[in-house]
Amino acid sequence: MPEMPEVQGLVDFLRTKLLPADAPPAVVSDVEVLSFSVLKTAGVPVEELRGQPVQGVERQGKFIILSAGGVHLVMHLAKAGWLRWSDALKPGRLRPGKGAMALRVRFAADDAGKEPGFDLTEAGTRKSLAVYLVRNLEEVPGIARLGPEALDVGFDEFAALLAGHSGQVKGLLRDQSVIAGIGNAYSDEILHAARLSPFANAAKLDADDAGRLFVAMRTTLEEAIATASGRPASALKDSKRKALRVHARTGEPCPVCGDTVREVSFADSSLQYCPTCQTGGRILADRRMSKLQK
């Protein structure tokens, strides 16, 4: 799932293409909805974007927001969605309902007659990619309930969020209404860097634990954003995979201590951790009750 660093990388990439410093902004020429389930709003027709110059490309949490003509095209890539850019799309509209394609946005042709644009795609059969077309961003439920951006939170605010959350610390990090931008992968990475169990009770962390977690959150995200910066959309996935230290590395040696990275599986996701670095050598056994087994 794309998280804050990759989404910010996509936003930065789109800005270079759609809002170049040495040329006028790109103009939307067409929006093709290729999977009818992807569009979650009906109040603003896609036709309102046609002919409108791009006014901005921004990020909130894990949402990409493209604004044109006073309308916001809001995209959430969910678990298996991605944005694929082309400097020269093939002419002609696509037929809806074929393959992984969900949405295509075209922009006015350049001086060479090439029509650039991007596609939103989604792999697999479970469709959760979401697109909203709104005039007010608060009309998007996921944006309306976003908590503060992870990198905008100060330590005192962060400590208060921990103290007020009696659940597991991994759940707090992933809760977009508490802290925006972190998902499954980076919560694993942050907890590994902070040397904390994913099942630790957030409210019971002491001052040292809270301090390490805060520093790990900032450092992990800042480094990931720096890695994503300047990369084309096509390279962001691979750069993320290569940088991960424990997430999706079950069975591999921990890069810090050499212990074997372990996994806890759930119905539709999993987490990874290092027993030596994070749980005092203990293996997380009961995924539901969060018990530990030596």
Side-chain angles (χ1 to χ4, degrees):
M1 176 185 292
E3 301 175 34
M4 176 202 290
E6 295 77 51
V7 175
Q8 187 62 53
L10 288 171
V11 165
D12 293 343
F13 174 77
L14 287 175
R15 283 177 182 158
T16 65
K17 295 293 186 179
L18 304 178
L19 294 166
D22 57 351
V27 175
V28 180
S29 62
D30 199 5
V31 179
E32 301 176 48
V33 180
L34 303 165
S35 171
F36 294 110
S37 64
V38 75
L39 190 60
K40 307 301 181 184
T41 53
V44 181
V46 295
E47 288 77 13
E48 289 205 18
L49 283 174
R50 293 175 185 162
Q52 298 295 335
V54 174
Q55 296 168 310
V57 185
E58 305 292 338
R59 179 191 62 78
Q60 288 194 31
K62 292 184 274 186
F63 291 87
I64 300 170
I65 304 164
L66 189 155
S67 302
V71 173
H72 306 292
L73 180 69
V74 182
M75 298 162 276
H76 191 282
L77 299 175
K79 189 171 184 178
W82 195 244
L83 185 149
R84 188 172 60 195
W85 176 267
S86 174
D87 286 326
L89 293 171
K90 292 181 179 180
R93 293 174 66 87
L94 300 175
R95 293 179 60 185
K98 293 190 69 176
M101 293 282 290
L103 187 89
R104 169 167 284 184
V105 180
R106 294 177 179 268
F107 298 93
D110 60 19
D111 293 339
K114 295 179 180 179
E115 191 177 41
F118 65 82
D119 298 325
L120 294 185
T121 64
E122 186 169 26
T125 58
R126 184 177 178 181
K127 303 300 182 182
S128 50
L129 176 70
V131 175
Y132 308 82
L133 201 59
V134 296
R135 292 188 177 87
N136 183 344
L137 290 175
E138 291 299 308
E139 297 174 46
V140 180
I143 289 181
R145 60 173 177 263
L146 281 178
E149 291 284 335
L151 291 179
D152 292 341
V153 176
F155 176 71
D156 290 343
E157 183 181 3
F158 184 71
L161 291 173
L162 292 174
H165 188 88
S166 60
Q168 297 167 357
V169 66
K170 181 175 172 71
L172 177 144
L173 292 174
R174 293 187 62 188
D175 189 339
Q176 300 303 295
S177 66
V178 178
I179 301 174
I182 303 170
N184 193 31
Y186 287 109
S187 59
D188 282 353
E189 297 296 297
I190 290 166
L191 289 165
H192 177 253
R195 306 191 305 279
L196 289 173
S197 167
F199 290 159
N201 186 301
K204 293 182 179 180
L205 296 179
D206 61 26
D208 288 343
D209 291 338
R212 290 200 318 277
L213 184 60
F214 178 73
V215 171
M217 178 180 72
R218 293 195 63 86
T219 302
T220 300
L221 293 176
E222 287 170 351
E223 289 178 352
I225 288 172
T227 298
S229 178
R231 293 183 181 270
S234 58
L236 286 170
K237 285 185 179 181
D238 285 342
S239 66
K240 175 183 179 178
R241 290 191 193 101
K242 291 176 182 177
L244 295 174
R245 309 185 89 186
V246 291
H247 183 77
R249 298 199 179 280
T250 304
E252 297 181 22
C254 169
V256 173
C257 71
D259 194 2
T260 301
V261 173
R262 304 282 184 150
E263 176 177 308
V264 178
S265 297
F266 302 93
D268 59 355
S269 67
S270 63
L271 64 84
Q272 286 78 39
Y273 69 100
C274 170
T276 295
C277 292
Q278 296 176 253
T279 62
R282 295 171 292 178
I283 308 301
L284 295 171
D286 188 335
R287 65 192 182 198
R288 292 166 299 175
M289 301 301 292
S290 306
K291 293 180 180 178
L292 295 172
Q293 174 179 296
K294 290 185 178 180

